[in-house]
Amino acid sequence: MWRDNIREIERSREIIRIGGDVPQVGTLAFGIVDRGTNIIEVRPTSLCPLSCIYCSVNAGPKSTNRWAEFVVEPEPLLNALEDVVRFKGINDIEVHIDGMGEPGVYPYLPKLIRGIKSISGVSVVSMQTRLYMFNDDSLRELANAGLDRINLSIDSLRPELAKRLSGTSWYDVDYVKELVIKALNLGINVIASPVWLPGINDEDMVEITKWANEVGLGKGSLPPVLIQKYIPHKRGRRVNIRVMTWHEFWKRLKELEEKLNVRLTATNDELNIHKAPQLPRPFKVNDEVKAKIISRGIIKGEFIGIIQPLRGSAIYDRVITVIADARLENVLMGRQVKVQVIENEDNIYIGRLIF
Ligand code: SF4
């Protein structure tokens, strides 16, 4: 059924395949994100068949602001990743497969995981997923390819509420629970990462924690559950609830930990997250750059440009998201344009067209 939802998206949005001619660094929509730690985020696709009511990136068939989706060819992604890992020069890199979609629907997932695992310097391959799209065979493929950990997105164990939160009538949380056991039996570690929506799934945080602890999630120094705070995002889907402050969130987590006698927090040491060399930022805010527009961006009114000239290196080559009137699409496509950089945090470039 999830494939029907993907087909529905394919009919209504442009699906853009990213090949070796496009830099893999520079956007949140696809490719590689380096935030200056030993964790490197790899984003192979923005497609997602669910429509979670709180989705911060407004993914899935019910998205109201997307006009394109991305699928990256595995080879260029792996080539660029190898360069980035080598640049960091450390041996405990965790590559975390996630993105503005559901990586579980990426068609080349085993190949991607196998390739990542073979890069010298990578010690852990993890993936954020809701898991429902797998079965015995496809999970075994992931385990054989070298997937070390699944960060499981799961917000309720109650089937009806889980459907409501996922915005999808066929989402079956009982099947997901079965898959978790299979993944554990295959040697893949799993930790649950539910989003806490106060007033909606409070009791579910208790039930998820009890279940996760019982079935053996979170091995070694990792806790079984890492609860996420709901944060409304400007362009995401929003839920009409009272948003917890960080102070209240941590306080309630501590109370839950004490009540259930289960660890729900972890230090960076326990998660093995530490600072590591960050890729250089070749372009500064306010710089004027030349960019060749190659496609739409994810959100209507965004375009992807390749900043010119290219140096043939993932360390320096960048894409940029260019904000422009959607009606200019035919004029902009394939053209080289002048763009002013307005953001470059963590090498995620946003720019405005200069006329
Ligand atoms: S929260 Fe994740 S699974 Fe849900 S719609 Fe967004 S990207 Fe898809």
Side-chain angles (χ1 to χ4, degrees), residues 48-52 54-60 99-102 130 237:
C48 179
L50 299 188
S51 297
C52 302
Y54 61 81
C55 181
S56 62
V57 294
N58 217 318
M100 294 177 74
E102 165 57 80
R130 287 193 177 264
R237 283 190 285 272

Side-chain angles (χ1 to χ4, degrees), residues 37-105:
T37 72
N38 61 322
I39 314 285
I40 300 174
E41 296 166 34
V42 162
R43 303 174 162 226
T45 185
S46 61
L47 284 164
C48 179
L50 299 188
S51 297
C52 302
I53 60 168
Y54 61 81
C55 181
S56 62
V57 294
N58 217 318
K62 293 184 188 161
S63 172
T64 47
N65 58 9
R66 289 190 179 200
W67 68 341
E69 302 285 353
F70 293 88
V71 180
V72 187
E73 298 292 340
E75 289 85 3
L77 186 49
L78 286 165
N79 290 341
L81 181 65
E82 194 167 7
D83 289 351
V84 175
V85 170
R86 196 178 309 121
F87 171 86
K88 287 197 168 265
I90 53 173
N91 280 314
D92 65 341
I93 286 184
E94 174 174 338
V95 174
H96 184 59
I97 306 171
D98 66 353
M100 294 177 74
E102 165 57 80
V105 304

